[in-house]
Amino acid sequence: INAKQKGLNIITMDQFLEREATSGQLNSNIDGAVVYPPNNQIIWDNQRLGPLWKYIRNVTKSFNWNPRECVLAFPGTGTDDQHLFSMMADVLIGKDGRPFPHYNEYQ
């Protein structure tokens, strides 16, 4: 995805932890206090990931997402929002006669 989408820079978990977590940029969802990764660990290769995922859940927000109800798209230009809305509306009403696409087809 990173190679195909100019401007969408995907980083590794190690990079994320080093850049955001160990620099004190992440706060607890419970009390807002700065929270660091377990043992300030950045590299989790071949480790039990339970403590890392518990930490990530505490400092991030996650949402239930249903690809039949919500689709993520990036406009070709910064002002192309209306074109995206129009395209999605056409998909939803089956304007071209095709059935509603499976989420794997949104590529």
Side-chain angles (χ1 to χ4, degrees):
I1 294 173
N2 194 30
K4 293 182 179 181
Q5 298 294 329
K6 185 177 180 179
L8 179 63
N9 299 318
I10 298 172
I11 61 174
T12 66
M13 179 64 82
D14 299 351
Q15 291 169 318
F16 172 76
L17 291 172
E18 184 172 17
R19 183 184 302 171
E20 302 298 330
T22 60
S23 64
Q25 301 298 313
L26 301 179
N27 302 83
S28 168
N29 289 328
I30 297 167
D31 62 10
V34 172
V35 184
Y36 296 92
N39 302 318
N40 277 332
Q41 187 171 336
I42 295 172
I43 299 171
W44 287 79
D45 296 342
N46 301 313
Q47 304 284 321
R48 257 186 54 248
L49 297 178
L52 173 62
W53 293 127
K54 182 177 179 182
Y55 167 76
I56 293 294
R57 280 191 297 274
N58 182 38
V59 297
T60 60
K61 295 182 194 282
S62 61
F63 304 92
N64 289 330
W65 179 69
N66 181 340
R68 291 195 163 276
E69 296 175 5
C70 181
V71 176
L72 175 65
F74 299 95
T77 64
T79 59
D80 211 13
D81 293 346
Q82 187 55 46
H83 181 67
L84 283 175
F85 287 117
S86 176
M87 284 176 26
M88 190 62 200
D90 290 348
V91 168
L92 291 173
I93 64 171
K95 185 175 181 178
D96 64 359
R98 292 185 291 172
F100 192 87
H102 187 269
Y103 68 88
N104 287 345
E105 297 177 54
Y106 293 116
Q107 297 180 12

